[in-house]
Amino acid sequence: MKKSSLKYLASLKVKTGKKINLLKDFDTDNKQKKIDKKEAELMMAAGIENLAKMQDKLYAHDEYSVLIVFQAMDAAGKDGSIKHVMSNFNPQGVKVASFKVPNSTELDHDYFWRHYKELPARGEIGIFNRSHYENVLVTRVHPEYILKENLPTINSLKDINTKFWKSRYDQINRFEKNLSENGTIIIKIFLYVSKEEQKKRFIERIDNPEKNWKFSVTDVAERLHWDDYMKAYEEMLAATSTKDAPWYVVPADDKWFSRLCVTGIITQHFEKMKFHYPKVSEAQKAKLQEVKAALINEK
Ligand code: ATP
Ligand code: MG
C-alpha cells in the first residue's frame, strides 16, 4: 500500500484513552479529495481481490480468526460496505451476524452471550453488523432499556450512572483482550455519516419505490436523538479503542470512499499478520513425491 494511503488510514484510528470531539477531530466526507471515484474503483477492485487471497492464507494458517465490527447511525452504509468488502471472500470462511433488539432469551443472559455465539472460529472471518457496542450506545441514549436486563443492583434509572457506563467499557475491553490473547484479530469500524447526509438518504428511501422497504419510521425517531448518539459514540470510542482492538472512524458521506477506506484498513491488518500457507517439511515433501510416483505408475 502507498505510504500516503497508510498515513491517511492511520489518521482515522482513534488513539487509546484520548478524549475526542467527532466534529472537530474527524471528517464525514472525503475532504482532502486526494483521490477521485474512478481511481478509487480501480483500487477497490484490486483491494478486494487481494483480501480474498489473504483470506485463503488466513484459512490455511488456521491459527487466527478475524472479527470486524461495524457500528453506525442508520443509513450510514453498513450493509453496502459489508457486501462490497466481502464480495470476493470464499463464503465458507466468512460469516455475518446482525444484532437487533434483544429478545427475551437473550435478555436472560449477559449481553456478551449472543455475541459470543457468533464469534469466528480459527481461520474464519466474522463480521458483526452492530454488536456488543449497542449495549453502550442505544442503551446510553435510552437507559430504560437497561432495566429490561434485570441486572443485580440496578433497580432504577438512578442506578445507571457514570460508574455503570465506565464498568461496561471495562467489561468490553476485558472481553476483547481475552479474544485477542486467544488469537482473534479485532478491527472496529464506525461509519461516520453526517446528519445532513442521513436526511438525504432517508428522503431518497421515501422517494425511490425500490428503496421504500429500507425506510423505517423508527429511524426518523432515533434521528431526533442525534446529539445524544454522537456523545455516546465519542465517549465509547475514547474508552474502548485499544492497541489490540482499535476503532477507526471512517468518513461515510461518500459511499465509494468509505468502502475503499474499509478495504484499506482490513488489508493493513492482514498484511501486518503475514499469514502464510503451512510449511511442508522435507520428510512430507519426500512422501508427496513417493505418492506421486505411485499414482503415475498405477496399473
Ligand atoms: P437496516 O436498517 O439497514 O436493516 P439495522 O442494523 O438498522 O439495519 P434494524 O432492524 O433496523 O437493523 O435495527 C436494529 C435495531 O436494534 C437498531 O435500532 C439497534 O439500535 C437495535 N439494537 C441492537 N442491539 C440492541 C441492544 N443490545 N439493545 C437495544 N437495542 C438494540
Ligand atoms: Mg435500521
Side-chain angles (χ1 to χ4, degrees):
M1 216 182 291
K2 276 201 278 184
K3 253 198 178 147
S4 56
S5 310
L6 288 173
K7 206 168 146 201
Y8 179 72
L9 294 178
S11 75
L12 305 181
K13 193 164 159 175
V14 178
K15 295 198 177 68
T16 308
K18 190 174 173 261
K19 240 187 161 171
I20 63 168
N21 177 322
L22 277 170
L23 265 182
K24 271 208 216 139
D25 302 338
F26 293 96
D27 294 329
T28 55
D29 60 3
N30 163 28
K31 249 195 197 110
Q32 311 192 3
K33 298 269 180 275
K34 280 199 178 137
I35 188 165
D36 63 30
K37 198 172 169 183
K38 266 233 148 68
E39 195 186 344
E41 272 164 8
L42 288 175
M43 282 171 77
M44 183 77 191
I48 54 174
E49 209 179 301
N50 190 24
L51 272 184
K53 281 187 198 147
M54 293 200 266
Q55 182 207 8
D56 202 47
K57 285 188 187 164
L58 169 81
Y59 192 81
H61 193 93
D62 202 25
E63 226 177 88
Y64 292 93
S65 57
V66 176
L67 173 66
I68 309 169
V69 171
F70 280 92
Q71 281 293 154
M73 295 297 283
D74 286 299
K78 280 185 286 110
D79 290 3
S81 289
I82 293 170
K83 193 166 116 186
H84 269 77
V85 169
M86 53 178 288
S87 55
N88 267 26
F89 283 159
N90 177 348
Q92 281 213 84
V94 61
K95 65 172 179 181
V96 183
S98 301
F99 297 99
K100 312 280 183 187
V101 178
N103 62 30
S104 59
T105 310
E106 290 167 340
L107 283 171
D108 269 341
H109 292 266
D110 78 284
Y111 64 94
F112 289 111
W113 181 72
R114 65 174 182 160
H115 303 97
Y116 214 97
K117 291 195 298 181
E118 301 294 341
L119 288 171
R122 266 176 241 290
E124 280 182 0
I125 298 172
I127 298 178
F128 280 6
N129 183 351
R130 299 189 189 271
S131 64
H132 45 294
Y133 282 97
E134 289 291 327
N135 296 81
V136 289
L137 290 168
V138 67
T139 52
R140 181 96 202 227
V141 177
H142 302 281
E144 64 277 13
Y145 293 177
I146 296 285
L147 298 177
K148 292 191 191 159
E149 293 180 26
N150 221 6
L151 295 167
T153 75
I154 304 296
N155 303 312
S156 74
L157 288 179
K158 274 205 307 251
D159 300 321
I160 308 168
N161 49 23
T162 318
K163 198 171 138 222
F164 173 83
W165 296 113
K166 163 91 177 58
S167 73
R168 280 231 154 158
Y169 297 143
D170 290 345
Q171 286 159 11
I172 291 178
N173 287 339
R174 286 200 298 269
F175 168 67
E176 292 179 355
K177 192 163 171 40
N178 269 341
L179 294 179
S180 158
E181 286 178 359
N182 284 285
T184 302
I185 295 156
I186 307 170
I187 308 165
K188 301 181 296 199
I189 291 171
F190 168 45
L191 294 178
Y192 182 33
V193 76
S194 65
K195 198 175 177 190
E196 219 19 62
E197 180 63 24
Q198 190 198 50
K199 182 170 158 179
K200 227 173 88 192
R201 292 186 190 172
F202 280 170
I203 293 174
E204 211 176 298
R205 287 179 177 185
I206 295 170
D207 285 346
N208 181 346
E210 282 180 11
K211 288 192 177 174
N212 282 173
W213 65 274
K214 279 193 188 177
F215 183 75
S216 150
V217 179
T218 52
D219 291 355
V220 178
E222 284 314 288
R223 181 179 161 79
L224 298 176
H225 302 286
W226 187 274
D227 293 347
D228 292 337
Y229 270 104
M230 290 305 113
K231 255 177 69 190
Y233 267 104
E234 283 172 349
E235 224 179 273
M236 174 284 276
L237 291 165
T240 61
S241 188
T242 59
K243 188 171 162 286
D244 296 323
W247 272 108
Y248 292 85
V249 179
V250 170
D253 282 357
D254 292 311
K255 286 183 180 168
W256 59 270
F257 185 67
S258 67
R259 286 167 194 168
L260 186 64
C261 291
V262 170
T263 308
I265 291 164
I266 301 170
T267 304
Q268 207 190 343
H269 277 262
F270 268 89
E271 279 177 350
K272 242 190 332 209
M273 294 309 297
K274 299 191 173 33
F275 297 123
H276 54 78
Y277 292 109
K279 289 214 166 63
V280 180
S281 68
E282 289 307 315
Q284 284 167 319
K285 276 186 201 161
K287 184 75 195 160
L288 288 177
Q289 289 308 318
E290 211 179 282
V291 175
K292 184 178 163 190
L295 283 171
I296 291 169
N297 295 326
E298 205 177 53
K299 292 232 168 69

